[in-house]
Amino acid sequence: MSEALTPETPEAVLDETADEAGEEEPIKQRKNGLYPGVSDELADSMKSGWADTELRGLTPIAQAEYTAARRAALSARFPGERLVIPAGNLKTRSNDTEYPFRASVEYAYLTGNLTEDGVLVLEPATEGHKATIYLLPRSDRENGEFWLSGQGELWVGRRHSLAEAEQLYGIPASDVRELPAALSEATGPVRVVRGYDAAVEAALTDKVTAERDNELRVFLSEARLVKDAFEAGELQKAVDSTVRGFEDVVKVLDKAEATSERYIEGTFFLRARVEGNDIGYGSICAAGPHACTLHWVRNDGPVRSGDLLLLDAGVETHTLYTADVTRTLPISGTYTEIQKKIYDAVYEAQEAGIAAVQPGAKYRDFHDAAQRVLTEKLVEWGLVEGPVERVLELGLQRRWTLHGTGHMLGMDVHDCAAARTETYVEGTLEPGMCLTVEPGLYFQADDLTVPEEYRGIGVRIEDDILVTEDGNRNLSDGLPRRWDEVEAWMASLKG
């Protein structure tokens, strides 16, 4: 990784960020850089001789009409108030390297733009609101920022001009460096989505309240409960790529056996990066007893024939919609009798859960249906004393079922998390909602309350279910679920 060529002398080149006096600040020198400064001749040379690369006649992004409708709904909910939704800033990983940037869900949902430092502002107008997207313009060639700053385009790549952004996103664009000053002078009621941009929040510190800002976040979370047609399509894309990622893993299980769970993690990650933006969350590649750890993301354990592999992973699309799918696979290609017994119980529970996903049903119904099946099995096997109603009332099955049976899915793997309980967990399913159904049974390796043959076995089956007008659609039905179908699928891929 190369060093930025930042100058030592303040006169040589200026940063794009203005100081309090309204003057540009010098681009800072990296300590121990190999170049102590920039000669006047070199600075002059770098200012000229560049072709015009402005892009014209750009086609709006695919979701532009949908983001416009989402902004209109937001405008209608908060008439007469200034609304500020930041994308967020780069976060330092270590020293002068940053984590890959991911825009805030609220900002991406309303704009489709995914670049750092962006801010959407809805200013109250005579009718509704006037939307402006504040962005960093192209890096400056006159002051040398484009080649001297660590965030200049010769270092990190070209960004869109403001004119290009207006064409792509269908929103008037302005220079984000001017925004803090404008916000500090704003009058009237203001709300901001907190936690993403400290400079924006500082400019509004005397104009906002935590309670009002939380209402904005809650509204934007609940707005995502029902997906529009674009979102449903993106979720299907995410799932389809995820299916291919699972196929990739099955094909290299022999290499994972020779190395570790990391081989599985890396194999799936390759598919996510080739076909999407990233993985939607840390992949759980849990072999053997690691399958009993719900969020096993260390992925550093052995992969052994005869054990099960619980693979919980999802591809995130370029528009930030993620899949969330789990299959529990026999590493050898064939389930043992005890593995099959436990797997069948989870499969039956999932079937009951999926059947309960219907428009007009209570959100909790699918969880209750799946938990009942699992509890019946635990009682039948003599692992817990019945009757079933008693076990459910006391929650005794949770020693082995552990978690809830699903969650909303979308731009976050656990989407709509800020929604009110009465509209989410206690709410009613509607067409367009997308959720996971993922029952599991987990018998810890040190659990002395179960027979030895059960210990160290963890099974989860998870699918992404879209509520439709007349029922539901399993977006991830491209992956087999029944144990015999899983074995046949694995054999076909390995063969």
Side-chain angles (χ1 to χ4, degrees), residues 5 44 46 89 118 124 166 174 187 223 245 260 328 371 385 407 427 442:
L5 306 178
D44 287 340
M46 293 299 289
N89 317 122
E166 290 186 0
S174 293
T187 58
S260 75
T328 306
Q371 288 291 301
E385 182 181 350
H407 51 80
Y442 312 91

Side-chain angles (χ1 to χ4, degrees), residues 3-23:
E3 290 186 300
L5 306 178
T6 47
E8 188 172 50
T9 52
E11 306 80 38
V13 65
L14 297 174
D15 192 356
E16 64 180 1
T17 306
D19 63 16
E20 293 181 358
E23 299 176 354

Side-chain angles (χ1 to χ4, degrees), residues 373 376 442 478:
V373 172
E376 289 171 349
Y442 312 91

Side-chain angles (χ1 to χ4, degrees), residues 6-14 26-29 35-40:
T6 47
E8 188 172 50
T9 52
E11 306 80 38
V13 65
L14 297 174
I27 295 175
K28 295 179 181 178
Q29 164 76 26
Y35 288 97
V38 175
S39 69
D40 291 342

Side-chain angles (χ1 to χ4, degrees), residues 75-255:
S75 172
R77 170 62 180 82
F78 298 104
E81 301 186 50
R82 182 176 278 99
L83 309 173
V84 183
I85 302 94
N89 317 122
L90 289 171
K91 290 182 172 62
T92 299
R93 180 178 184 270
S94 179
N95 189 23
D96 57 355
T97 60
E98 292 88 17
Y99 287 105
F101 179 74
R102 189 183 190 276
S104 74
V105 164
E106 294 86 354
Y107 175 85
Y109 177 75
L110 294 168
T111 66
N113 176 261
L114 304 178
T115 57
E116 65 268 19
D117 301 325
V119 184
L120 173 69
V121 177
L122 271 61
E123 297 185 26
T126 304
E127 295 185 6
H129 287 78
K130 174 190 174 185
T132 304
I133 187 171
Y134 287 86
L135 302 166
L136 281 174
R138 291 282 306 278
S139 54
D140 198 321
R141 292 179 184 264
E142 184 63 28
N143 72 3
E145 179 264 337
F146 80 107
W147 72 288
L148 290 166
S149 168
Q151 294 303 316
E153 68 180 44
L154 294 195
W155 289 96
V156 298
R158 183 188 189 278
R159 54 183 177 249
H160 286 296
S161 70
L162 299 181
E164 292 167 353
E166 290 186 0
Q167 297 173 65
L168 289 170
Y169 306 111
I171 312 171
S174 293
D175 190 334
V176 72
R177 295 169 298 185
E178 302 169 357
L179 182 59
L183 290 178
S184 64
E185 298 173 1
T187 58
V190 183
R191 298 177 190 256
V192 63
V193 178
R194 298 190 183 200
Y196 297 119
D197 195 315
V200 167
E201 291 181 36
L204 294 171
T205 186
D206 59 341
K207 308 175 192 303
V208 294
T209 67
E211 180 181 3
R212 288 163 51 78
D213 292 347
N214 187 58
E215 288 174 352
L216 173 59
R217 184 185 288 275
V218 167
F219 174 81
L220 290 172
S221 195
E222 294 183 358
R224 302 197 309 276
L225 283 169
V226 176
K227 272 58 180 178
D228 57 37
F230 176 84
E231 293 179 289
E234 289 300 293
L235 284 167
Q236 186 66 70
K237 286 182 188 177
V239 169
D240 291 345
S241 288
T242 299
V243 168
R244 290 187 283 274
F246 274 64
E247 293 171 347
D248 295 339
V249 167
V250 171
K251 292 175 183 177
V252 301
L253 280 178
D254 58 333
K255 294 183 174 61

Side-chain angles (χ1 to χ4, degrees), residues 254-275:
D254 58 333
K255 294 183 174 61
E257 287 187 63
T259 53
S260 75
E261 295 163 340
R262 291 283 168 90
Y263 204 97
I264 296 166
E265 178 184 342
T267 298
F268 187 84
F269 180 70
L270 177 61
R271 177 66 66 175
R273 287 294 281 165
V274 168
E275 295 192 1

